[in-house]
Amino acid sequence: MAKTKERNLALKFRREGKSIKDIARKIRVSKGTVSLWCRDVFLSESQIVKLREKMIKGGYEGRLKGARMQYEQRLEREKEFREHGLKKIGRLSERDFLIAGTALYWGEGQKKGREVRVSNSDPELIRFIINWFKKIWGVTSDRLTAFIIINKVHKRRLKKVEGYWVKVTNIPKKQFTKTTLINAKNRKNYSNFSDHYGTLTVRIRKPVLLHHQIIGSIKGLNRKIKNI
C-alpha cells in the first residue's frame, strides 16, 4: 500500500501524543491525511492536556511574533513618512517660516485684546513658537515670560515640572510667574502621571506693536488663501 511507512510513522507519533500538525510536518503529508490515518487513535488525558498547553503557548508566541512584526512595520512606515515629509518640505525660507508661524498662532495664539501669548502642552510646539517670535519678529529673551497650569494632584512634582519647562523654553526661572494649580472636578487618572507637565503659556512683554503685526499677518494670510 502506498505510503504505508508514512502511515505507520503517523500512528506511532500520534500514540506518543504529538499533534496532527506536527506529525504532518514531520512526515511531509497533509494534515487531512494524517487526521484520517489517526482517527482511531485515542489520546490519554495527560496527552490531551499537553497538546492544549502547547496550543495555547504556540498561540501566545504567535501573537507576540505578529505584534512584533506589526510594530517593526509601523516603525518602518513612520520612518518612510518622516523622510518623505522632510523631502517634500525641503529647505525653509524666512517667508516659509513666517507663514508657518502665522498659521500656528492663528490656531493657538491669543487674538483678542492686545496680548501676545500661546498656550500648549506640546514642548516642540512651544520651542517652535519661541523661535518664531525671536527670528521673525526680533523678540529678545528678556521680553519672554511664561507660566504653567497643571492639576493640583501634581503639587509634589512642581519642582520637576517647572525645571522641565525651563529646560524646554530656555527662559530663565525668574521670568516664570507662579504656577497655577487647578482643581479639576473630575480627577483625571493619568496613565503617564510622572511624564505629565501640564500646559505652558508663553507671553511677550510690551506686546501691543507685535500683536498688531501678527494680526496683520493672519489677515494677510487669510486673504491670500481666499484667492487660491
Side-chain angles (χ1 to χ4, degrees):
M1 184 182 292
K3 292 189 177 181
T4 300
K5 182 179 178 181
E6 288 85 351
R7 182 175 182 277
N8 289 336
L9 278 173
L11 291 169
K12 174 179 177 294
F13 289 144
R14 188 58 172 170
R15 292 188 186 103
E16 291 173 356
K18 288 183 170 52
S19 69
I20 298 296
K21 181 178 179 181
D22 285 344
I23 296 169
R25 186 172 61 249
K26 281 178 177 292
I27 63 177
R28 298 182 180 180
V29 298
S30 70
K31 289 191 291 184
T33 299
V34 173
S35 181
L36 180 64
W37 286 345
C38 300
R39 65 183 183 276
D40 295 326
V41 177
F42 295 95
L43 302 180
S44 68
E45 186 175 344
S46 63
Q47 288 175 326
I48 292 171
V49 169
K50 286 181 180 179
L51 284 176
R52 285 177 179 171
E53 289 175 348
K54 184 177 180 181
M55 181 179 65
I56 292 170
K57 183 181 178 182
Y60 176 71
E61 290 175 347
R63 289 192 295 273
L64 282 180
K65 184 178 179 181
R68 181 65 186 177
M69 287 179 62
Q70 289 180 350
Y71 173 71
E72 290 175 353
Q73 289 170 357
R74 178 171 63 82
L75 289 181
E76 186 61 30
R77 286 197 302 270
E78 288 175 356
K79 181 182 177 182
E80 290 175 3
F81 289 142
R82 282 196 303 272
E83 291 174 352
H84 177 72
L86 284 170
K87 186 176 180 180
K88 192 169 184 178
I89 292 294
R91 188 170 182 176
L92 286 179
S93 66
E94 185 174 316
R95 179 175 178 272
D96 294 332
F97 192 20
L98 167 64
I99 293 170
T102 299
L104 175 60
Y105 193 93
W106 191 359
E108 300 292 333
Q110 174 72 18
K111 273 81 71 180
K112 295 181 180 179
R114 294 183 177 183
E115 279 191 283
V116 175
R117 66 178 183 178
V118 174
S119 301
N120 210 273
S121 60
D122 183 346
E124 294 302 324
L125 185 148
I126 292 295
R127 287 191 184 101
F128 180 97
I129 203 67
I130 289 174
N131 199 22
W132 185 71
F133 286 143
K134 289 180 175 180
K135 292 190 175 181
I136 297 298
W137 303 108
V139 173
T140 54
S141 296
D142 61 304
R143 289 178 63 194
L144 295 170
T145 66
F147 68 88
I148 303 161
I149 298 176
I150 194 166
N151 195 302
K152 74 173 187 177
V153 298
H154 295 273
K155 187 175 182 178
R156 294 182 180 180
R157 298 179 58 244
L158 283 191
K159 187 175 181 180
K160 180 181 178 182
V161 169
E162 290 168 354
Y164 169 83
W165 285 115
V166 167
K167 186 176 180 180
V168 166
T169 62
N170 205 27
I171 297 174
K173 180 65 171 64
K174 64 182 181 180
Q175 290 172 219
F176 277 67
T177 56
K178 187 177 180 180
T179 297
T180 300
L181 296 172
I182 58 173
N183 185 14
K185 292 182 179 179
N186 296 317
R187 287 192 175 186
K188 184 177 180 179
N189 293 318
Y190 299 98
S191 59
N192 59 336
F193 185 89
S194 61
D195 295 322
H196 181 71
Y197 297 97
T199 299
L200 184 80
T201 297
V202 176
R203 293 188 295 193
I204 307 299
R205 290 171 176 159
K206 300 178 182 179
V208 178
L209 177 60
L210 179 57
H211 175 81
H212 290 313
Q213 290 173 321
I214 293 174
I215 296 303
S217 295
I218 291 172
K219 289 181 178 179
L221 180 60
N222 189 32
R223 182 173 295 180
K224 292 294 183 180
I225 290 172
K226 289 179 179 179
N227 292 333
I228 293 176

